[in-house]
Each structure stands twice: as C-alpha cells, then as structure tokens.
Amino acid sequence: MCPVAGLEALRETKECDSTLLPEFGPVLEIWEGHATDPEIRYRGSSGGVLTALLLYCLERLGWHGVLHTGADPEEPLRNRTRLSRTRAELLAATGSRYSPASMCDGLGLVAGAPGPCVVVGKPVEVAAARTATRVWPDLERNLGVLLSFCCAETPSTRGTLDLVLRLGLQHEEVKQLRYRGLGWPGSFAVWRDDTNLPAAQMTCRESWGFLQAYRPWATRIWPDGTGELADISCGDPWYDEPDGRNPGFSLVVVRTALSREIVHGAMEAGYLELRPAEAWKLRESQAGLARKKGEVWSQLLVQRLFGLPVPDFRGWNLFGCWLRLPFRDKLRSPLGTARRILARTLWRPWVPAPGQGVPVKKACYAAELFNGADAASNRAQGSPPAGVCTA
C-alpha cells in the first residue's frame, strides 16, 4: 500500500473541470466559506470547514467515528492518531500539525469499527488509505469518506525542536504547542502552563519559512499537494491576504458525487456557510503546490540519471504539468535536484549507525510483522492482510 510503489490517479468524470484536472485533479465544485459554529471557525486553521464536516458526519449521518491526528497530550511536540466520536474530541485536535504524523497507523480502528468512519489525512496518507482498501475488505466496508487538505508535506520533528529552542524555550517546558488556528492564519505558539497567553509565538509565515527547510527529500518528489485522491479537500484561500482580523475561511474542493452530497447536506443542516468560488481562486491560492507538482517530472528524471530508484506515479500527467512551468522553473528544478542529491549524498546507500532509525516492528501495524501470518485470520480480527505494513 506504499503510495510510491504504484500510485494511480483518480479517474476523470464528465463533470470534472477539465481545465483544473492536470494540476489539481478531479474537481466537481469549488466553494469558499467557513463553519457556522464560531468556536470551530476560530480554532480551525482556516475557517474550521473540515471540523464542521466531521461533526456533521457524526451528528447527522450517524457515522461511528473520525480517524485523524492531533497533538499528543503527553508529548505536545509530537502527534498521536485518534478515533474521535464527540465535538469535544474534534475540537481538541483542531489546527494544522507541521510535524510527522501517521494516520495510517490507526486504520485498524476503522476496519474494526461497527459502522462507517471518516478518515482525515495528508494527501500522501489518503493515497495509502485508498490503496489499502483494495486489499483490506473490512477497511473498504467501513471507510465512509476520505478528507484531506492542501499540504506541502511534513517537516521532521527536528524542525519543531529547533524552532522551540529559537524562541528561547526548552523542550521540557512545553505544555501546549499550536502551529496554526485561533484565527486565520494563526501563529506558531508555545505555552508553558494552562494560562491563555502563550510564552512565545511567531507568525505563521515566519514559522513555516523556518520549518519547510526540514522537509525530507521524499516529500519534495511527492506530486499531490491538494489531496487529489480524497473525496473532499480544503485549503487556505491565499488569494486573499490575511489582515489579522478575519477569523478564517477555506476553499472547499468537492471531488466525488458522495462528497457533494455531504457538503450540500452540511450546508442545509447549518454546519457550513459556503458560497461558490471561481476556479481562479484555487489556482492563485495553491499556485505553489501546482508548481511543486510540475517540478516532479524533472526531479525524477535527474534521479534516474544518478541511478537512483524512483516512485511509480501512474496517470498523473507529470510531464504535462512540467510543460506548464515557466522556462526559469524548468531549468531551476533539475539543477536544484542534482545539487541536493550531491549535497545530501542521496546517491550513496544509507546504512544506519548503531541506535539510528526506527525498528521495523515499531513502524508496522499493531507493532507486529504479518509476514507469514494467516491472511484470513487477520482480516477477521480487523487487521491488515499478511505482509501489509501500514507504516
């Protein structure tokens, strides 16, 4: 189920906007707006639309739960996957998390649930979950809908640790940490105690400018930044410059017939306040992610020239996206790739030093290896088929 071992693009339908398809995937409708609940809108990264949709699925559609990621209450600099079933649990996990997360390590909770669930994750996690449904019948049965968000992928934990130190705090002092939210676009903020005032904070633009340098190489060659394989994707409306007074609003991309029913139902039930948005707003708001997708073809070409293994992205029209780039970007991308390969010695096989790396058993579902296990027995217990690692 590894997304780069053979990722197929979502099929085009007659209703899709063909002008948006190459760079943003299937798009049936685009909306902009926010959650009607003032607290959800304020606490969300950009208008609380995702959280409001999750609450609608729980309260009105009667679905069992929501699989998503939030801050680890015991280690606030890290993340933890959880299956939420109440409004309070959803609110506890609002706001973006610019540090490693693994929604897929909780897919067993969805497979073993008594009813349909919503799954929320980064585009790469959505790709893995959708692929997993092909070999995991219990997951396919209970995965009600996949939600994602526009994302340039995740910096390492080291990025957050260094940013906290830069703000003059020690890791042990941190009791709560937020990357976004509490208004749009929100700030990177760190608390030492339970008071309302953070001990230190930094603007969203400054913190992301610092953290993005910590993104691993694999995230740079991942093409999907807008959740093309999800049913619904949400993103910041960067076409409008934040003024510090706007409590938040989002762009909502509807990709499937099922998601259209859910979004329209949430509006009719009073969970969302949305209005139709023009295609140019998506292009302008997520131009950086479209450019990133266009650069992937040349980056993979350079990797091949260096004799490095490359991902298998099928049907993504990466060459066509590359052709859309300005000449300067066409030249800059392969040269930058070659420079990074040499600087990071990516051409050399990595051999972990003693104590380095994560044990395989820790990275696999339920801390077990399923190689040689009985596939039928695992499926009956809500576990992945034999040999499937959901890391």
Side-chain angles (χ1 to χ4, degrees), residues 63-67 83-85 106-119 136-139 141-144 365 379-383:
W63 288 7
H64 175 71
V66 174
L67 184 72
L83 188 71
S84 296
R85 303 195 60 202
L107 289 177
L109 299 174
V110 176
C117 297
V118 188
V119 173
W136 197 351
D138 292 341
L139 178 64
R141 183 188 67 248
N142 286 339
L143 204 164
Y365 177 86
R379 281 195 292 270
Q381 298 173 21
S383 304

Side-chain angles (χ1 to χ4, degrees), residues 168-191:
L169 298 173
Q170 297 300 313
H171 310 148
E172 299 78 12
E173 299 179 81
V174 178
K175 187 165 186 178
Q176 182 186 353
L177 182 148
R178 291 185 67 95
Y179 296 85
R180 294 277 305 274
L182 305 184
W184 183 64
S187 302
F188 179 84
V190 183
W191 286 261

Side-chain angles (χ1 to χ4, degrees), residues 8 28-29 43 68 84 105 120 125 145 185 236 239 246 279 356:
E8 297 183 13
L28 299 184
E29 298 173 355
R43 292 177 66 86
H68 59 152
S84 296
D105 66 12
V120 188
E125 295 175 319
V145 68
D236 288 284
Y239 75 88
N246 189 331
Q356 221 176 351

Side-chain angles (χ1 to χ4, degrees), residues 355-380:
Q356 221 176 351
V358 179
V360 175
K361 288 189 178 182
K362 216 171 189 178
C364 288
Y365 177 86
E368 292 180 9
L369 292 175
F370 287 89
N371 296 329
D374 179 8
S377 173
N378 285 331
R379 281 195 292 270

Side-chain angles (χ1 to χ4, degrees), residues 294-360:
E295 293 174 347
V296 169
W297 180 83
S298 62
Q299 291 171 330
L300 298 185
L301 175 63
V302 173
Q303 285 194 206
R304 288 189 179 96
L305 294 176
F306 273 86
L308 301 177
V310 296
D312 180 12
F313 298 133
R314 304 170 191 171
W316 287 80
N317 191 23
L318 297 180
F319 180 68
C321 292
W322 180 78
L323 289 176
R324 292 169 176 255
L325 293 176
F327 176 77
R328 181 178 178 181
D329 289 336
K330 285 190 177 79
L331 185 63
R332 180 182 59 83
S333 177
L335 292 177
T337 300
R339 178 179 58 80
R340 289 188 177 95
I341 288 175
L342 293 171
R344 301 187 183 196
T345 64
L346 298 179
W347 46 270
R348 180 185 302 163
W350 179 68
V351 179
Q356 221 176 351
V358 179
V360 175

Side-chain angles (χ1 to χ4, degrees), residues 152-227:
E153 290 305 324
T154 306
S156 67
T157 304
R158 172 54 57 188
T160 299
L161 297 175
D162 288 350
L163 188 53
V164 169
L165 290 174
R166 184 176 181 179
L167 290 174
L169 298 173
Q170 297 300 313
H171 310 148
E172 299 78 12
E173 299 179 81
V174 178
K175 187 165 186 178
Q176 182 186 353
L177 182 148
R178 291 185 67 95
Y179 296 85
R180 294 277 305 274
L182 305 184
W184 183 64
S187 302
F188 179 84
V190 183
W191 286 261
R192 283 196 184 102
D193 47 41
D194 293 326
T195 60
N196 292 327
L197 295 177
Q201 58 184 342
M202 179 184 290
T203 68
C204 174
R205 189 182 300 273
E206 290 173 328
S207 61
W208 175 246
F210 181 90
L211 290 169
Q212 66 173 326
Y214 290 81
R215 287 179 297 165
W217 175 251
T219 68
R220 296 180 180 272
I221 57 174
W222 172 255
D224 180 11
T226 57

